[in-house]
Structure formats: structure tokens, C-alpha cells
Amino acid sequence: MSYTLENLAEDCRTALRSGESPEALEKVCGFVKKALADNDFMADHLLNREPPPERNVIFEDPELGFCICAHIYAGAKPGDPHDHGPTWAIYGQGEGETEMTDWRIVRPAADGQPALVEKTRSYVLKPGDAHIYPTGAVHAPLRYGATRLLRIEGSNTDRIKRTPIAVV
Ligand SMILES: [Fe+2]
């Protein structure tokens, strides 16, 4: 039996209902990997979808606010270092590869000045991989070609304010 969007949403709801602890995010990350490994899930929600739009919110929980998103990027694109403001995200790589760079905050944003960050490490997300970016984690994705991602966000990042960031 395939893993459906409804199954994923229900599993996430169960994991997150008692809070957004590291353990709960680990559970959600596991559910993302489960969805990425399911051929029917992938076909229905990621592989048979074409941009535009690049960003598709395919489920938003009315009670807890988390979102399940399908991101479809047609070509190469560098990304700037960013956080997700007051929330976390889990990136699940469905197709293609994302080179991700993590950044360390050297000086927090304050008094109208952006946060200063420096690079800490880079790694490649390959199909089937999922990675947790806790609230405040600064990261920058780099795509060399077409990619498809299954993402879970703690709250809809269309409606959040990100921390202003400058590179050291
Ligand atoms: Fe991000």
C-alpha cells in the first residue's frame, strides 16, 4: 500500500502535536524519507508536476500550521544564505541534487543591522536524503540543474519574515 499525502500529514500531525522538539523534527524527517521512497507518492506529488509555480503548498495544517510543499525547479540556481524566520524546515531531495552550505552566525541581527554569517560546511543532498534546518539555521542551496524537493515547514514561509543576513 502506498504512502499517501494524507498519511504523511497525519504522521506529521501526530509527531508535532506535543511540540516541535528535536525528537519530533527527527520523526518528521523520517516521514519525509518514507514519502521520498514511495514511488506512488513521488509520482503523484513531485514527478508529474511541472512549474510554474516552483513552489506548491500541497497541504497546510489548519490546527498546527505546518505545511507540506512540492518545490519544482527547472534549472540551475544559486541561493543566498537565509533562515526561515521563526520556523524550521525539512528539505527532502526528490530528484536532482542540491549542494547545501551551512552558515554560522558571527553577530546576530540587531539595531537595524543584518546578522553577519560565515560558512561552516557544504554537503550534497541526493535523491532520498532529507535534512532538518531548525529554527534559526542559516543555509544556502545551490542547484546545478533541475531539482525537485519535498519540504515540510513548521509554518508557511510565504507569510514569515526572514532575518536580514550579510556575509562576513
Ligand atoms: Fe531554506
Side-chain angles (χ1 to χ4, degrees):
M1 210 169 82
S2 57
Y3 193 52
T4 66
L5 180 60
E6 291 72 26
N7 295 148
L8 175 59
E10 185 56 37
D11 283 346
C12 291
R13 195 178 297 122
T14 301
L16 295 167
R17 181 162 282 136
S18 55
E20 301 178 333
S21 63
E23 294 74 21
L25 297 191
E26 283 290 347
K27 283 184 188 170
V28 173
C29 190
F31 301 140
V32 171
K33 289 179 183 170
K34 186 173 177 179
L36 293 173
D38 189 288
N39 290 338
D40 289 337
F41 188 106
M42 290 293 287
D44 290 348
H45 302 296
L46 219 54
L47 301 183
N48 293 337
R49 190 184 289 274
E50 294 302 329
E54 291 183 333
R55 172 178 164 82
N56 303 270
V57 178
I58 57 178
F59 175 83
E60 185 164 357
D61 191 82
E63 179 194 350
L64 301 177
F66 69 85
C67 289
I68 301 173
C69 310
H71 284 203
I72 314 294
Y73 301 113
K77 191 178 176 187
D80 293 325
H82 65 277
D83 69 1
H84 301 128
T87 194
W88 50 269
I90 295 171
Y91 282 46
Q93 190 74 37
E95 196 174 67
E97 294 186 352
T98 301
E99 183 180 313
M100 194 68 87
T101 301
D102 290 343
W103 302 69
R104 184 175 74 86
I105 296 175
V106 178
R107 190 196 70 197
D111 303 326
Q113 297 295 312
L116 277 184
V117 298
E118 65 179 16
K119 281 184 193 178
T120 53
R121 66 173 184 137
S122 294
Y123 46 94
V124 176
L125 298 177
K126 297 184 173 173
D129 291 346
H131 196 94
I132 301 169
Y133 296 92
T135 301
V138 178
H139 55 285
L142 171 61
R143 302 185 291 272
Y144 293 105
T147 57
R148 291 167 187 259
L149 290 124
L150 176 66
R151 271 172 58 121
I152 314 252
E153 303 170 344
S155 60
N156 192 330
T157 58
D158 290 332
R159 299 194 292 268
I160 56 113
K161 193 164 179 282
R162 297 171 194 269
T163 305
I165 285 173
V167 175
V168 170

